[in-house]
């Protein structure tokens, strides 16, 4: 038989410990100015671009062959002259007008396919079959057929652009729809949402990170396909956008203008990524707390 002293736990005395005042030390120390500047993403990207430009200049001067590799300063001069003369601006306007037509047509087609896929079993089989057939097919390989079907016009370019955007965007969007939690699906059904309202009000907001990823991939595929297609399209019809500008100057051995066209393609891609998609992510999925 145990004694009462073993059953009763010991009582520990309570005490308070006062903390010493901080004095003149601020609870939060502000970061140095250099650290605050380095936290800006655009500053870090500019530093990376500057380093690449310096490496380009050093390698070009070491090789000392303007025909094979012009220096960064020569390319920058050709780019500024092309923009000042208006030639590059006109070529860019042609390319972007065609690109936007094909891009938005591909977005519309992908949205219709994925809406059908999440609504019916036939739609899921259709999306799976079509993506397995056409997604591995390079868009530029369809250009000869597009020229036969649509002739020497913008219709041929728009056709191959739709092909380059449609399938990766449809796959990403459908994967995003499949990852929507069942709780949100049940909430939508409880509110009586069906069809297009169910897709727009429940599935699209929840799957927006995957949709944005598909939009980025589709934009990159479309931009690359357009420049490659314009090389063939421009050579066939005598006109075109940035791809034709690059092709024409390559034939005339103006390598600095060729690099100027390539640099402009890169700058447009960086601008769309930073000002377009990054802003859209900041205003939607990051503000909603869907992604970090």
């Amino acid at each position: 038989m145990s004694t009462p002293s073993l059953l009763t736990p010991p009582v520990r005395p309570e005490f308070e410990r006062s903390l010493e005042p901080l004095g003149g030390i601020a609870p939060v120390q502000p970061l140095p100015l250099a650290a605050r500047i380095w936290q800006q993403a655009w500053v870090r990207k500019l530093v990376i671009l500057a380093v690449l430009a310096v490496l380009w200049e050093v390698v070009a001067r070491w090789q000392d062959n303007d025909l094979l590799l012009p220096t960064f300063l020569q390319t920058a001069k050709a780019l500024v002259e092309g923009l000042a003369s208006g030639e590059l601006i006109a070529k860019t306007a042609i390319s972007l007008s065609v690109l936007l037509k094909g891009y938005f047509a591909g977005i519309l087609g992908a949205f219709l396919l994925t809406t059908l896929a999440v609504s019916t079993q036939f739609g899921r089989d259709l999306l799976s079959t079509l993506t397995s057939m056409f997604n591995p097919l390079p868009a530029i390989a369809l250009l000869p057929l597009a020229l036969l079907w649509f002739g020497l016009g913008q219709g041929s370019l728009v056709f191959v652009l739709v092909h380059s955007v449609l399938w990766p965007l449809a796959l990403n969007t459908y994967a995003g729809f499949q990852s929507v939690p069942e709780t949100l699906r049940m909430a939508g059904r409880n509110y009586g949402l069906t069809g297009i309202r169910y897709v727009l009000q429940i599935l699209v907001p929840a799957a927006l990170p995957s949709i944005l990823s598909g939009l980025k991939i589709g934009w990159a595929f479309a931009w690359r396909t357009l420049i490659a297609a314009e090389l063939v399209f421009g050579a066939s019809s005598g006109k075109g956008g940035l791809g034709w500008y690059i092709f024409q100057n390559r034939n005339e051995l103006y390598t600095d203008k060729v690099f100027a066209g390539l640099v402009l393609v890169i700058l447009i891609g960086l601008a769309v990524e930073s000002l377009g998609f990054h802003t859209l992510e900041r205003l939607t999925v990051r503000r909603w707390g869907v992604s970090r």
Side-chain angles (χ1 to χ4, degrees), residues 44-67:
R44 298 192 299 270
K45 292 179 180 179
L46 283 180
V47 171
I48 294 174
L49 293 177
V51 171
L52 292 177
V54 171
L55 290 177
W56 179 358
E57 185 74 18
V58 170
V59 173
R61 289 181 180 275
W62 173 74
Q63 188 176 8
D64 196 20
N65 191 336
D66 297 342
L67 184 62

PDB file of all heavy atoms in Angstrom, residues 44-67:
ATOM      1  N   ARG A  44      18.078  42.226 -59.566  1.00  0.00           N
ATOM      2  CA  ARG A  44      18.841  40.989 -59.745  1.00  0.00           C
ATOM      3  C   ARG A  44      18.845  40.553 -61.212  1.00  0.00           C
ATOM      4  O   ARG A  44      19.863  40.083 -61.736  1.00  0.00           O
ATOM      5  CB  ARG A  44      18.271  39.890 -58.851  1.00  0.00           C
ATOM      6  CG  ARG A  44      18.348  40.204 -57.366  1.00  0.00           C
ATOM      7  CD  ARG A  44      18.056  38.972 -56.529  1.00  0.00           C
ATOM      8  NE  ARG A  44      16.721  38.447 -56.775  1.00  0.00           N
ATOM      9  CZ  ARG A  44      15.635  38.816 -56.087  1.00  0.00           C
ATOM     10  NH1 ARG A  44      15.750  39.723 -55.118  1.00  0.00           N
ATOM     11  NH2 ARG A  44      14.459  38.293 -56.346  1.00  0.00           N
ATOM     12  N   LYS A  45      17.702  40.706 -61.883  1.00  0.00           N
ATOM     13  CA  LYS A  45      17.643  40.337 -63.295  1.00  0.00           C
ATOM     14  C   LYS A  45      18.521  41.247 -64.149  1.00  0.00           C
ATOM     15  O   LYS A  45      19.180  40.785 -65.095  1.00  0.00           O
ATOM     16  CB  LYS A  45      16.193  40.368 -63.781  1.00  0.00           C
ATOM     17  CG  LYS A  45      15.318  39.289 -63.165  1.00  0.00           C
ATOM     18  CD  LYS A  45      13.888  39.369 -63.667  1.00  0.00           C
ATOM     19  CE  LYS A  45      13.039  38.278 -63.037  1.00  0.00           C
ATOM     20  NZ  LYS A  45      11.616  38.343 -63.508  1.00  0.00           N
ATOM     21  N   LEU A  46      18.531  42.536 -63.819  1.00  0.00           N
ATOM     22  CA  LEU A  46      19.397  43.453 -64.561  1.00  0.00           C
ATOM     23  C   LEU A  46      20.873  43.101 -64.370  1.00  0.00           C
ATOM     24  O   LEU A  46      21.677  43.205 -65.310  1.00  0.00           O
ATOM     25  CB  LEU A  46      19.136  44.889 -64.118  1.00  0.00           C
ATOM     26  CG  LEU A  46      17.874  45.564 -64.670  1.00  0.00           C
ATOM     27  CD1 LEU A  46      17.752  46.981 -64.127  1.00  0.00           C
ATOM     28  CD2 LEU A  46      17.894  45.587 -66.196  1.00  0.00           C
ATOM     29  N   VAL A  47      21.237  42.691 -63.167  1.00  0.00           N
ATOM     30  CA  VAL A  47      22.622  42.290 -62.922  1.00  0.00           C
ATOM     31  C   VAL A  47      22.981  41.064 -63.759  1.00  0.00           C
ATOM     32  O   VAL A  47      24.070  40.988 -64.354  1.00  0.00           O
ATOM     33  CB  VAL A  47      22.831  42.023 -61.422  1.00  0.00           C
ATOM     34  CG1 VAL A  47      24.198  41.385 -61.174  1.00  0.00           C
ATOM     35  CG2 VAL A  47      22.705  43.311 -60.620  1.00  0.00           C
ATOM     36  N   ILE A  48      22.068  40.098 -63.828  1.00  0.00           N
ATOM     37  CA  ILE A  48      22.318  38.901 -64.640  1.00  0.00           C
ATOM     38  C   ILE A  48      22.486  39.281 -66.107  1.00  0.00           C
ATOM     39  O   ILE A  48      23.414  38.805 -66.795  1.00  0.00           O
ATOM     40  CB  ILE A  48      21.166  37.897 -64.462  1.00  0.00           C
ATOM     41  CG1 ILE A  48      21.143  37.359 -63.029  1.00  0.00           C
ATOM     42  CG2 ILE A  48      21.299  36.743 -65.449  1.00  0.00           C
ATOM     43  CD1 ILE A  48      19.958  36.468 -62.727  1.00  0.00           C
ATOM     44  N   LEU A  49      21.600  40.148 -66.615  1.00  0.00           N
ATOM     45  CA  LEU A  49      21.711  40.577 -68.011  1.00  0.00           C
ATOM     46  C   LEU A  49      23.007  41.337 -68.267  1.00  0.00           C
ATOM     47  O   LEU A  49      23.633  41.179 -69.321  1.00  0.00           O
ATOM     48  CB  LEU A  49      20.504  41.441 -68.377  1.00  0.00           C
ATOM     49  CG  LEU A  49      19.148  40.740 -68.406  1.00  0.00           C
ATOM     50  CD1 LEU A  49      18.041  41.728 -68.719  1.00  0.00           C
ATOM     51  CD2 LEU A  49      19.144  39.601 -69.423  1.00  0.00           C
ATOM     52  N   ALA A  50      23.421  42.166 -67.305  1.00  0.00           N
ATOM     53  CA  ALA A  50      24.663  42.906 -67.461  1.00  0.00           C
ATOM     54  C   ALA A  50      25.867  41.973 -67.507  1.00  0.00           C
ATOM     55  O   ALA A  50      26.790  42.158 -68.315  1.00  0.00           O
ATOM     56  CB  ALA A  50      24.815  43.922 -66.324  1.00  0.00           C
ATOM     57  N   VAL A  51      25.867  40.957 -66.663  1.00  0.00           N
ATOM     58  CA  VAL A  51      26.966  39.981 -66.669  1.00  0.00           C
ATOM     59  C   VAL A  51      27.016  39.243 -68.002  1.00  0.00           C
ATOM     60  O   VAL A  51      28.102  39.031 -68.586  1.00  0.00           O
ATOM     61  CB  VAL A  51      26.811  39.000 -65.494  1.00  0.00           C
ATOM     62  CG1 VAL A  51      27.813  37.849 -65.603  1.00  0.00           C
ATOM     63  CG2 VAL A  51      27.002  39.725 -64.167  1.00  0.00           C
ATOM     64  N   LEU A  52      25.860  38.840 -68.516  1.00  0.00           N
ATOM     65  CA  LEU A  52      25.825  38.153 -69.805  1.00  0.00           C
ATOM     66  C   LEU A  52      26.316  39.065 -70.928  1.00  0.00           C
ATOM     67  O   LEU A  52      27.019  38.614 -71.843  1.00  0.00           O
ATOM     68  CB  LEU A  52      24.402  37.670 -70.098  1.00  0.00           C
ATOM     69  CG  LEU A  52      23.859  36.562 -69.201  1.00  0.00           C
ATOM     70  CD1 LEU A  52      22.410  36.243 -69.553  1.00  0.00           C
ATOM     71  CD2 LEU A  52      24.708  35.312 -69.304  1.00  0.00           C
ATOM     72  N   ALA A  53      25.955  40.349 -70.870  1.00  0.00           N
ATOM     73  CA  ALA A  53      26.409  41.289 -71.892  1.00  0.00           C
ATOM     74  C   ALA A  53      27.924  41.452 -71.854  1.00  0.00           C
ATOM     75  O   ALA A  53      28.581  41.507 -72.911  1.00  0.00           O
ATOM     76  CB  ALA A  53      25.718  42.634 -71.702  1.00  0.00           C
ATOM     77  N   VAL A  54      28.490  41.527 -70.656  1.00  0.00           N
ATOM     78  CA  VAL A  54      29.944  41.654 -70.532  1.00  0.00           C
ATOM     79  C   VAL A  54      30.640  40.406 -71.071  1.00  0.00           C
ATOM     80  O   VAL A  54      31.653  40.496 -71.798  1.00  0.00           O
ATOM     81  CB  VAL A  54      30.328  41.921 -69.067  1.00  0.00           C
ATOM     82  CG1 VAL A  54      31.842  41.840 -68.885  1.00  0.00           C
ATOM     83  CG2 VAL A  54      29.822  43.295 -68.623  1.00  0.00           C
ATOM     84  N   LEU A  55      30.124  39.224 -70.736  1.00  0.00           N
ATOM     85  CA  LEU A  55      30.712  37.988 -71.258  1.00  0.00           C
ATOM     86  C   LEU A  55      30.631  37.940 -72.785  1.00  0.00           C
ATOM     87  O   LEU A  55      31.590  37.520 -73.457  1.00  0.00           O
ATOM     88  CB  LEU A  55      29.992  36.781 -70.645  1.00  0.00           C
ATOM     89  CG  LEU A  55      30.232  36.527 -69.167  1.00  0.00           C
ATOM     90  CD1 LEU A  55      29.389  35.349 -68.680  1.00  0.00           C
ATOM     91  CD2 LEU A  55      31.705  36.260 -68.888  1.00  0.00           C
ATOM     92  N   TRP A  56      29.497  38.363 -73.316  1.00  0.00           N
ATOM     93  CA  TRP A  56      29.334  38.416 -74.774  1.00  0.00           C
ATOM     94  C   TRP A  56      30.389  39.325 -75.397  1.00  0.00           C
ATOM     95  O   TRP A  56      31.045  38.962 -76.384  1.00  0.00           O
ATOM     96  CB  TRP A  56      27.922  38.901 -75.082  1.00  0.00           C
ATOM     97  CG  TRP A  56      27.599  39.025 -76.535  1.00  0.00           C
ATOM     98  CD1 TRP A  56      28.414  38.791 -77.613  1.00  0.00           C
ATOM     99  CD2 TRP A  56      26.341  39.426 -77.092  1.00  0.00           C
ATOM    100  NE1 TRP A  56      27.753  39.026 -78.786  1.00  0.00           N
ATOM    101  CE2 TRP A  56      26.479  39.418 -78.506  1.00  0.00           C
ATOM    102  CE3 TRP A  56      25.123  39.800 -76.525  1.00  0.00           C
ATOM    103  CZ2 TRP A  56      25.423  39.775 -79.343  1.00  0.00           C
ATOM    104  CZ3 TRP A  56      24.079  40.152 -77.367  1.00  0.00           C
ATOM    105  CH2 TRP A  56      24.233  40.133 -78.759  1.00  0.00           C
ATOM    106  N   GLU A  57      30.573  40.506 -74.833  1.00  0.00           N
ATOM    107  CA  GLU A  57      31.543  41.464 -75.375  1.00  0.00           C
ATOM    108  C   GLU A  57      32.958  40.893 -75.313  1.00  0.00           C
ATOM    109  O   GLU A  57      33.735  41.013 -76.282  1.00  0.00           O
ATOM    110  CB  GLU A  57      31.458  42.769 -74.590  1.00  0.00           C
ATOM    111  CG  GLU A  57      32.332  43.886 -75.113  1.00  0.00           C
ATOM    112  CD  GLU A  57      31.784  44.497 -76.386  1.00  0.00           C
ATOM    113  OE1 GLU A  57      30.589  44.298 -76.682  1.00  0.00           O
ATOM    114  OE2 GLU A  57      32.552  45.180 -77.092  1.00  0.00           O
ATOM    115  N   VAL A  58      33.304  40.250 -74.208  1.00  0.00           N
ATOM    116  CA  VAL A  58      34.655  39.705 -74.045  1.00  0.00           C
ATOM    117  C   VAL A  58      34.904  38.583 -75.050  1.00  0.00           C
ATOM    118  O   VAL A  58      35.948  38.542 -75.720  1.00  0.00           O
ATOM    119  CB  VAL A  58      34.852  39.214 -72.602  1.00  0.00           C
ATOM    120  CG1 VAL A  58      36.159  38.434 -72.478  1.00  0.00           C
ATOM    121  CG2 VAL A  58      34.849  40.387 -71.636  1.00  0.00           C
ATOM    122  N   VAL A  59      33.938  37.658 -75.179  1.00  0.00           N
ATOM    123  CA  VAL A  59      34.112  36.532 -76.108  1.00  0.00           C
ATOM    124  C   VAL A  59      34.187  37.021 -77.550  1.00  0.00           C
ATOM    125  O   VAL A  59      35.012  36.543 -78.345  1.00  0.00           O
ATOM    126  CB  VAL A  59      32.959  35.518 -75.928  1.00  0.00           C
ATOM    127  CG1 VAL A  59      33.023  34.436 -77.002  1.00  0.00           C
ATOM    128  CG2 VAL A  59      33.027  34.878 -74.549  1.00  0.00           C
ATOM    129  N   ALA A  60      33.339  37.995 -77.924  1.00  0.00           N
ATOM    130  CA  ALA A  60      33.351  38.509 -79.297  1.00  0.00           C
ATOM    131  C   ALA A  60      34.665  39.214 -79.617  1.00  0.00           C
ATOM    132  O   ALA A  60      35.214  39.057 -80.719  1.00  0.00           O
ATOM    133  CB  ALA A  60      32.166  39.451 -79.499  1.00  0.00           C
ATOM    134  N   ARG A  61      35.197  39.992 -78.666  1.00  0.00           N
ATOM    135  CA  ARG A  61      36.477  40.666 -78.911  1.00  0.00           C
ATOM    136  C   ARG A  61      37.625  39.666 -78.969  1.00  0.00           C
ATOM    137  O   ARG A  61      38.583  39.841 -79.728  1.00  0.00           O
ATOM    138  CB  ARG A  61      36.729  41.707 -77.824  1.00  0.00           C
ATOM    139  CG  ARG A  61      35.811  42.925 -77.925  1.00  0.00           C
ATOM    140  CD  ARG A  61      36.126  43.945 -76.842  1.00  0.00           C
ATOM    141  NE  ARG A  61      35.255  45.102 -76.932  1.00  0.00           N
ATOM    142  CZ  ARG A  61      35.470  46.160 -77.721  1.00  0.00           C
ATOM    143  NH1 ARG A  61      36.554  46.186 -78.482  1.00  0.00           N
ATOM    144  NH2 ARG A  61      34.623  47.168 -77.746  1.00  0.00           N
ATOM    145  N   TRP A  62      37.524  38.611 -78.166  1.00  0.00           N
ATOM    146  CA  TRP A  62      38.576  37.589 -78.200  1.00  0.00           C
ATOM    147  C   TRP A  62      38.553  36.831 -79.522  1.00  0.00           C
ATOM    148  O   TRP A  62      39.592  36.527 -80.097  1.00  0.00           O
ATOM    149  CB  TRP A  62      38.389  36.634 -77.035  1.00  0.00           C
ATOM    150  CG  TRP A  62      39.313  35.453 -77.067  1.00  0.00           C
ATOM    151  CD1 TRP A  62      40.646  35.418 -76.790  1.00  0.00           C
ATOM    152  CD2 TRP A  62      38.950  34.123 -77.442  1.00  0.00           C
ATOM    153  NE1 TRP A  62      41.148  34.161 -76.955  1.00  0.00           N
ATOM    154  CE2 TRP A  62      40.124  33.336 -77.354  1.00  0.00           C
ATOM    155  CE3 TRP A  62      37.759  33.519 -77.829  1.00  0.00           C
ATOM    156  CZ2 TRP A  62      40.125  31.981 -77.654  1.00  0.00           C
ATOM    157  CZ3 TRP A  62      37.759  32.169 -78.133  1.00  0.00           C
ATOM    158  CH2 TRP A  62      38.935  31.415 -78.040  1.00  0.00           C
ATOM    159  N   GLN A  63      37.374  36.536 -80.058  1.00  0.00           N
ATOM    160  CA  GLN A  63      37.272  35.827 -81.326  1.00  0.00           C
ATOM    161  C   GLN A  63      37.649  36.722 -82.502  1.00  0.00           C
ATOM    162  O   GLN A  63      38.237  36.254 -83.481  1.00  0.00           O
ATOM    163  CB  GLN A  63      35.845  35.298 -81.521  1.00  0.00           C
ATOM    164  CG  GLN A  63      35.702  34.385 -82.719  1.00  0.00           C
ATOM    165  CD  GLN A  63      34.314  33.802 -82.814  1.00  0.00           C
ATOM    166  OE1 GLN A  63      33.418  34.178 -82.073  1.00  0.00           O
ATOM    167  NE2 GLN A  63      34.124  32.877 -83.748  1.00  0.00           N
ATOM    168  N   ASP A  64      37.262  38.005 -82.417  1.00  0.00           N
ATOM    169  CA  ASP A  64      37.662  39.009 -83.411  1.00  0.00           C
ATOM    170  C   ASP A  64      37.208  38.625 -84.828  1.00  0.00           C
ATOM    171  O   ASP A  64      37.988  38.608 -85.779  1.00  0.00           O
ATOM    172  CB  ASP A  64      39.184  39.218 -83.375  1.00  0.00           C
ATOM    173  CG  ASP A  64      39.596  40.512 -84.101  1.00  0.00           C
ATOM    174  OD1 ASP A  64      38.721  41.391 -84.276  1.00  0.00           O
ATOM    175  OD2 ASP A  64      40.769  40.614 -84.504  1.00  0.00           O
ATOM    176  N   ASN A  65      35.928  38.286 -84.941  1.00  0.00           N
ATOM    177  CA  ASN A  65      35.341  37.977 -86.250  1.00  0.00           C
ATOM    178  C   ASN A  65      33.900  38.480 -86.246  1.00  0.00           C
ATOM    179  O   ASN A  65      32.997  37.813 -85.750  1.00  0.00           O
ATOM    180  CB  ASN A  65      35.395  36.478 -86.540  1.00  0.00           C
ATOM    181  CG  ASN A  65      35.039  36.161 -87.981  1.00  0.00           C
ATOM    182  OD1 ASN A  65      34.353  36.923 -88.647  1.00  0.00           O
ATOM    183  ND2 ASN A  65      35.510  35.020 -88.465  1.00  0.00           N
ATOM    184  N   ASP A  66      33.682  39.667 -86.817  1.00  0.00           N
ATOM    185  CA  ASP A  66      32.354  40.272 -86.786  1.00  0.00           C
ATOM    186  C   ASP A  66      31.323  39.488 -87.590  1.00  0.00           C
ATOM    187  O   ASP A  66      30.125  39.575 -87.321  1.00  0.00           O
ATOM    188  CB  ASP A  66      32.414  41.707 -87.321  1.00  0.00           C
ATOM    189  CG  ASP A  66      33.277  42.613 -86.461  1.00  0.00           C
ATOM    190  OD1 ASP A  66      33.533  42.228 -85.298  1.00  0.00           O
ATOM    191  OD2 ASP A  66      33.698  43.689 -86.933  1.00  0.00           O
ATOM    192  N   LEU A  67      31.783  38.743 -88.580  1.00  0.00           N
ATOM    193  CA  LEU A  67      30.844  37.987 -89.400  1.00  0.00           C
ATOM    194  C   LEU A  67      30.224  36.829 -88.628  1.00  0.00           C
ATOM    195  O   LEU A  67      29.047  36.511 -88.816  1.00  0.00           O
ATOM    196  CB  LEU A  67      31.557  37.465 -90.653  1.00  0.00           C
ATOM    197  CG  LEU A  67      30.688  36.722 -91.677  1.00  0.00           C
ATOM    198  CD1 LEU A  67      29.606  37.652 -92.228  1.00  0.00           C
ATOM    199  CD2 LEU A  67      31.540  36.158 -92.799  1.00  0.00           C
TER     200      LEU A  67
END
